[in-house]
Amino acid sequence: MAKILVMTDLHITPEGETIIGLDPGARLSAGLAHAARTHPDAERIVLMGDLTHHGAAQEYARLKTLLADLPWPVTLMIGNHDTRTGFRAAFPDAPTDADGFVQSAIDLGDIRLICLDTHETAPAVEHAGHLCPTRLAWLTRELEADTKPCLVFLHHAPFDTGFSGMDHIGLTNAAELRGVLTAFPQVKHIFAGHIHRTITASIDGLPITVFKSPCHQMPMILGQEGSGHSVDEPGAYGIILTNGDRVVVHFEDFTLPAQDVSHY
């Protein structure tokens, strides 16, 4: 089984700036150290967007320092808090498609990872995501090009989660994306972030997992408006185990105190 680590919604700030009293850089550093200690055998780590809080150059510079000397290859994606130009200036070697979107297809043996760019520079609703016809056409070509089992990653969750405020700034053409994905049986699982909660769903026959943030989380306020709510709950990352046909997802709350392992 291949092991893939996932972190999303890092929200890196400049040194000295916090979010609800939490330092996103310190949280990320702790999460990466925990993952390196407990999962050095992972094949890759995928960072699914909102890498920074404001898309500022000093935030990307701090992130670059935090990502130095990791034991795994790193795949970087962008979200609504990022800027495509700022990201590409900081990470000029990060793969993009032919049109400059931060999208890539990665082959891990008999498994393919497809990472999508849902960042919208001028959304109708601030912080909402979108996949334009160009990006969807790229996705279709990648799915047509290879039939090996595929995992799809994107920042914005491609369905309504029940968090009304976050759904308001969700993926504007989520149904269109799901229509593309359901046409390709090799798509085994979809992974997203953006909500800052652990969520699992099955929509249109597609299994979907949403991960929490290493930093701050969305409180459990289903049905309420607003997208800026945050609570200091444990920071987390995801662990995917897959042989292609089987996909098993685990969730690690790495900021909880270490526990002695006991038997009963």
Side-chain angles (χ1 to χ4, degrees):
M1 299 280 275
K3 180 187 288 185
I4 303 160
L5 304 179
V6 180
M7 291 187 182
T8 186
D9 297 278
L10 315 182
H11 287 271
I12 297 300
T13 56
E15 291 276 359
E17 290 189 16
T18 63
I19 299 173
I20 65 166
L22 302 172
D23 180 350
R27 281 282 187 121
L28 175 61
S29 180
L32 291 171
H34 184 284
R37 186 172 64 254
T38 55
H39 303 289
D41 58 334
E43 296 195 32
R44 180 169 295 268
I45 185 168
V46 180
L47 306 181
M48 292 199 304
D50 280 5
L51 304 175
T52 65
H53 198 48
H54 299 103
Q58 63 267 41
E59 295 172 337
Y60 286 115
R62 187 183 186 195
L63 174 63
K64 199 166 189 176
T65 299
L66 292 168
L67 297 180
D69 302 320
L70 294 179
W72 336 271
V74 179
T75 295
L76 297 168
M77 300 167 57
I78 62 172
N80 49 288
H81 278 263
D82 294 302
T83 64
R84 198 173 286 112
T85 53
F87 170 81
R88 294 187 66 184
F91 298 97
D93 296 329
T96 61
D97 66 16
D99 295 287
F101 294 110
V102 185
Q103 305 196 134
S104 60
I106 302 152
D107 291 314
L108 297 180
D110 294 331
I111 303 159
R112 173 165 261 220
L113 315 183
I114 292 184
C115 301
L116 298 175
D117 178 347
T118 61
H119 174 79
E120 187 70 359
T121 53
V125 177
E126 188 178 13
H127 291 300
H130 188 73
L131 286 166
C132 62
T134 299
R135 281 173 276 184
L136 287 175
W138 176 88
L139 170 62
T140 300
R141 289 194 300 273
E142 290 297 329
L143 290 169
E144 289 174 341
D146 200 315
T147 60
K148 64 169 60 100
C150 180
L151 309 181
V152 176
F153 298 78
L154 68 163
H155 180 73
H156 292 81
F159 66 103
D160 284 344
T161 65
F163 288 97
S164 300
M166 295 302 293
D167 292 340
H168 182 64
I169 60 168
L171 187 68
T172 57
N173 59 333
E176 185 178 12
L177 170 63
R178 296 197 307 270
V180 172
L181 296 177
T182 55
F184 294 92
Q186 71 262 38
V187 174
K188 301 301 182 182
H189 208 103
I190 302 168
F191 300 96
H194 190 52
I195 311 296
H196 294 237
R197 291 301 307 185
T198 301
I199 305 169
T200 63
S202 179
I203 311 291
D204 295 340
L206 296 166
I208 307 171
T209 296
V210 179
F211 293 107
K212 292 200 299 185
S213 165
C215 190
H216 53 295
Q217 314 305 344
M218 165 68 75
M220 184 52 71
I221 50 171
L222 295 172
Q224 296 187 35
E225 295 301 324
S227 58
H229 308 290
S230 299
V231 291
D232 180 5
E233 291 185 358
Y237 62 87
I239 306 149
I240 303 167
L241 302 177
T242 181
N243 65 1
D245 290 327
R246 293 183 179 183
V247 180
V248 179
V249 186
H250 296 275
F251 311 94
E252 178 67 76
D253 291 333
F254 66 85
T255 60
L256 293 175
Q259 300 282 334
D260 291 329
V261 178
S262 302
H263 298 278
Y264 63 90

